[in-house]
Amino acid sequence: DTEVTQTPKHLVMGMTNKKSLKCEQHMGHRAMYWYKQKAKKPPELMFVYSYEKLSINESVPSRFSPECPNSSLLNLHLHALQPEDSALYLCASSPFGSGANVLTFGAGSRLTVL
Amino acid sequence: RKEVEQDPGPFNVPEGATVAFNCTYSNSASQSFFWYRQDCRKEPKLLMSVYSSGNEDGRFTAQLNRASQYISLLIRDSKLSDSATYLCVVISSGAGSYQLTFGKGTKLSVIP
């Protein structure tokens, strides 16, 4: 069982819908990440929260909106997505905020945009 | 030159074979290196960290060659369950921040 929990596992949404992906970890990790992964490609970094503050935004379109309510939770709010946004969205955490350490991934949320 | 490069494969090997993957990196100031394993439609999972002195975990051996700027992963006595995509990860620092870069992954298929 993964120590990073993501919900939902699967999500189908229309281009006008608003939905959210959720991620939770109770390992006391201080950095949390959102990655996007398309088939047969490596994960692509979207956002990094370090000590609950957004530290990296890799020029992600504003239709993706991250939120870190506390040190254990990370959300990704989705609005007006495009079909090309369909992908596996992976949450990860690491012990320290510096980024120079091991990532633990959640099982991912597989998103389909119709 | 891409920052982190891997041979995408696929590597198709029979059970019991020994197989090795390399991953080259362009930033000579890179500090930390890892191998992750990703099964189809699953998340990446840490396989092993790569230390300067080399390290071994059962059938798996990881090596770092700083002079030639590559890391390697050797799998001995391949099992069917080793079939997966192997991603190398390189962490570099600069301008007060760290950058974690994934290679594109090498696909391994172990055949009965």
Side-chain angles (χ1 to χ4, degrees):
Chain A
D1 287 343
T2 184
E3 295 180 82
V4 177
T5 304
Q6 289 188 242
T7 55
K9 292 194 183 320
H10 300 275
L11 178 63
V12 180
M13 61 187 290
M15 289 190 285
T16 58
N17 292 158
K18 285 185 180 180
K19 297 286 184 182
S20 297
L21 306 180
K22 297 185 184 301
C23 176
E24 190 169 359
Q25 58 88 13
H26 293 288
M27 296 180 283
H29 286 183
R30 303 315 305 268
M32 296 185 75
Y33 309 74
W34 280 114
Y35 280 86
K36 172 183 177 180
Q37 188 174 27
K38 302 281 270 186
K40 300 185 180 182
K41 300 286 187 183
E44 295 177 30
L45 183 64
M46 300 175 72
F47 302 103
V48 181
Y49 273 82
S50 178
Y51 296 93
E52 301 164 49
K53 293 191 187 315
L54 182 65
S55 60
I56 295 176
N57 176 340
E58 290 286 347
S59 302
V60 180
S62 60
R63 57 186 184 269
F64 295 92
S65 175
E67 177 197 17
C68 187
N70 60 54
S71 60
S72 301
L73 294 174
L74 184 65
N75 299 323
L76 185 63
H77 302 299
L78 314 172
H79 174 54
L81 295 194
Q82 304 297 311
E84 60 264 29
D85 296 322
S86 298
L88 179 68
Y89 288 84
L90 292 160
C91 174
S93 68
S94 63
F96 308 111
S98 67
N101 47 95
V102 173
L103 296 179
T104 301
F105 283 91
S109 293
R110 191 163 296 279
L111 173 67
T112 302
V113 182
L114 301 176
Chain B
R1 181 180 175 186
K2 294 179 184 172
E3 291 186 50
V4 177
E5 289 198 65
Q6 289 184 253
D7 183 340
F11 283 64
N12 298 317
V13 303
E15 270 186 291
T18 295
V19 62
F21 313 132
N22 282 345
C23 171
T24 59
Y25 59 94
S26 60
N27 186 344
S28 58
S30 296
Q31 300 178 317
S32 303
F33 308 88
F34 306 92
W35 283 104
Y36 277 74
R37 169 198 169 124
Q38 187 169 25
D39 292 283
C40 187
R41 301 180 72 82
K42 300 282 190 182
E43 75 275 22
K45 292 186 178 179
L46 179 67
L47 179 64
M48 55 199 306
S49 303
V50 187
Y51 303 122
S52 297
S53 55
N55 47 305
E56 187 174 313
D57 182 3
R59 298 181 293 108
F60 298 84
T61 301
Q63 298 273 3
L64 167 63
N65 185 317
R66 284 196 182 274
S68 301
Q69 295 184 201
Y70 73 87
I71 63 172
S72 64
L73 178 67
L74 180 78
I75 306 175
R76 290 181 297 278
D77 187 22
S78 299
K79 311 291 185 193
L80 296 177
S81 56
D82 294 333
S83 298
T85 295
Y86 291 83
L87 297 156
C88 70
V89 171
V90 176
I91 296 180
S92 308
S93 65
S97 67
Y98 290 91
Q99 180 178 2
L100 186 153
T101 305
F102 280 89
K104 290 187 184 297
T106 297
K107 184 173 181 180
L108 171 66
S109 294
V110 181
I111 304 162

